[in-house]
Amino acid sequence: MFDSHCPEVQRNRQNWQGSEDSSTFQSREAATKLGEIFHIEHDLSYTTREEKAAQRRLQLKPLMDEFYRFIGEIEHPIGKLRVAINYALNQKERVYQIFEHGELPLDNNHDEQLIRPTTIGRKNYLFAKTEAGAEANAIWYTSIQTAKLNQIKVREYLEHLLSAFAWTEKPVWEAYLPWAPEIQRKFGTQ
């Protein structure tokens, strides 16, 4: 079984960019090699995940092999460089799953952007005066993110929810979920 995401390549890249406290040449060289991998990945042209995996094996695998050969030959790394090398080597098996499963992304930037509003708002949650207030915050942010994930016009959808719930004592929740056919028809972006 494979992991649903393969953020290790991106994490490797971040580690190398932050490991320039010692052995600067090796850090920069490793970061450059990973940058080439991301650049080529961006330029791949495919229509299916199988085609993507095949192109990755053809174009990216030699570069990835060279990256791992290069870091494996770095002698006596210290500090952040050692941490970056150890992380990369420990994650190699997971990273190489991208050559078999084209649906795996090289990074998890998309997912991180989805949770960013919640992460930014985290400090605001500290000031919820009551447990009910904190729960209301959680419901509000969950509703917004779920609407976004279901490609719903968020503002119009939330206005509809607030209006509907203001006049309904016992709403039928299923009818108001973002994936409900009526909600998709009224507020879907596609």
Side-chain angles (χ1 to χ4, degrees):
M1 190 68 192
F2 62 91
D3 299 308
S4 62
H5 295 291
C6 191
E8 283 68 29
V9 179
Q10 176 67 18
R11 184 98 50 239
N12 281 340
R13 189 176 184 194
Q14 292 167 348
N15 285 343
W16 292 107
Q17 291 168 340
S19 67
E20 294 188 18
D21 61 341
S22 63
S23 308
T24 302
F25 169 76
Q26 287 106 345
S27 297
R28 286 188 183 154
E29 184 67 20
T32 299
K33 289 178 183 303
L34 287 172
E36 291 174 28
I37 291 167
F38 276 88
H39 180 74
I40 291 173
E41 168 80 6
H42 181 265
D43 291 342
L44 293 179
S45 178
Y46 53 88
T47 56
T48 67
R49 60 184 178 211
E50 290 79 14
E51 283 181 22
K52 185 177 183 180
Q55 286 190 30
R56 281 176 167 173
R57 284 189 296 273
L58 183 68
Q59 296 183 44
L60 297 183
K61 189 165 185 311
L63 296 173
M64 194 71 79
D65 292 341
E66 170 57 23
F67 167 77
Y68 279 104
R69 184 202 59 74
F70 176 77
I71 66 170
E73 293 177 355
I74 296 175
E75 295 181 11
H76 311 294
I78 59 172
K80 291 181 181 180
L81 180 60
R82 184 178 69 217
V83 171
I85 290 172
N86 287 339
Y87 183 85
L89 293 174
N90 288 336
Q91 298 302 320
K92 183 177 179 181
E93 185 177 323
R94 289 182 74 189
V95 169
Y96 271 60
Q97 290 177 13
I98 66 169
F99 301 121
E100 299 303 318
H101 305 284
E103 66 273 19
L104 293 177
L106 276 184
D107 60 44
N108 62 350
N109 288 344
H110 176 73
D111 296 334
E112 287 181 1
Q113 291 303 314
L114 290 175
I115 65 169
R116 188 169 188 254
T118 305
T119 304
I120 289 172
R122 186 173 21 214
K123 288 184 181 175
N124 295 334
Y125 310 150
L126 296 173
F127 302 105
K129 301 278 186 203
T130 64
E131 190 173 318
E135 185 175 345
N137 276 343
I139 291 169
W140 186 253
Y141 283 109
T142 300
S143 299
I144 291 170
Q145 289 306 108
T146 304
K148 287 179 183 179
L149 286 170
N150 284 278
Q151 299 174 339
I152 298 291
K153 296 175 197 158
V154 176
R155 181 179 175 164
E156 291 89 346
Y157 171 64
L158 293 176
E159 286 173 352
H160 176 71
L161 286 182
L162 294 173
S163 173
F165 293 157
W167 304 108
T168 307
E169 217 170 286
K170 286 190 172 186
V172 179
W173 292 104
E174 291 78 20
Y176 295 98
L177 296 174
W179 51 85
E182 182 67 15
I183 296 297
Q184 282 287 323
R185 188 182 61 71
K186 282 185 177 178
F187 305 107
T189 59
Q190 291 183 348

